[in-house]
Amino acid sequence: MGNNYEDECRRSLAEEQAKSLAGTNNWEHVDRERVHQDWDVLYREITAFLDGGSLPGDQQVQELVRRHFDIACRFYTPSREAYVGMSLFYAEDEAMRAFHDSYHPGLVDFLGAAIKVFAEQGSGFAPSAGAEASA
């Protein structure tokens, strides 16, 4: 994955989140406590697969990533690029990395790799901001 693609993913995440935040009064509709509870359960499940030697592309891991994507969609439905951008944000933001890695020291990297596989194979994504602009 090249730097240009990663830059596009970061830009898509920023643009799509800004648009969603503005249109929903800062995600007023989201039950944040429930989201964090659901992510907590999910991250513990992913950690078990990580400890068990699973790979990011394994079917069971991809099913867990589908659940992660579904939880993210409670805020808004990200494009494929914005979803990959989310994994980059988890890795690059110090607080997000610390939060995720508090579950397992390799969670951010494992989840990021699994999200990239999901994005390459998955469906159900919103069109990227760039695709909307060029349509």
Side-chain angles (χ1 to χ4, degrees), residues 2 6 20 23 26 30 35 37-38 54 73 86 92-95 102 116 131 133-134:
E6 289 180 356
S20 177
N26 293 319
V30 176
V35 163
Q37 290 170 356
D38 291 346
S54 293
C73 287
M86 185 183 299
E92 295 167 352
D93 181 84
E94 188 175 317
S102 71
K116 288 170 187 160
S134 65

Side-chain angles (χ1 to χ4, degrees), residues 49 54 57-65:
F49 281 97
S54 293
D58 289 351
Q59 181 180 350
Q60 293 168 316
V61 172
Q62 287 300 298
E63 289 170 6
L64 295 173
V65 174

Side-chain angles (χ1 to χ4, degrees), residues 8-132:
E8 177 186 347
C9 292
R10 288 181 191 97
R11 187 172 43 257
S12 291
L13 177 67
E15 291 172 3
E16 292 174 29
Q17 283 187 345
K19 181 179 178 182
S20 177
L21 283 162
T24 61
N25 194 26
N26 293 319
W27 295 325
E28 175 177 73
H29 66 286
V30 176
D31 181 345
R32 293 170 195 242
E33 183 176 332
R34 180 63 192 218
V35 163
H36 287 287
Q37 290 170 356
D38 291 346
W39 265 328
D40 179 65
V41 169
L42 180 62
Y43 291 155
R44 292 176 193 281
E45 289 179 51
I46 293 171
T47 295
F49 281 97
L50 180 55
D51 283 339
S54 293
L55 299 174
D58 289 351
Q59 181 180 350
Q60 293 168 316
V61 172
Q62 287 300 298
E63 289 170 6
L64 295 173
V65 174
R66 165 51 74 181
R67 284 177 41 206
H68 182 273
F69 179 76
D70 289 345
I71 294 168
C73 287
R74 294 180 197 173
F75 295 89
Y76 73 101
T77 302
S79 68
R80 182 179 321 270
E81 294 79 12
Y83 193 50
V84 172
M86 185 183 299
S87 74
L88 295 171
F89 176 67
Y90 289 173
E92 295 167 352
D93 181 84
E94 188 175 317
M96 291 301 285
R97 178 176 278 280
F99 169 75
H100 287 85
D101 281 350
S102 71
Y103 287 90
H104 187 287
L107 180 60
V108 164
D109 295 330
F110 185 81
L111 182 59
I115 285 173
K116 288 170 187 160
V117 169
F118 181 84
E120 290 169 3
Q121 299 174 353
S123 60
F125 290 96
S128 69
E132 288 175 356

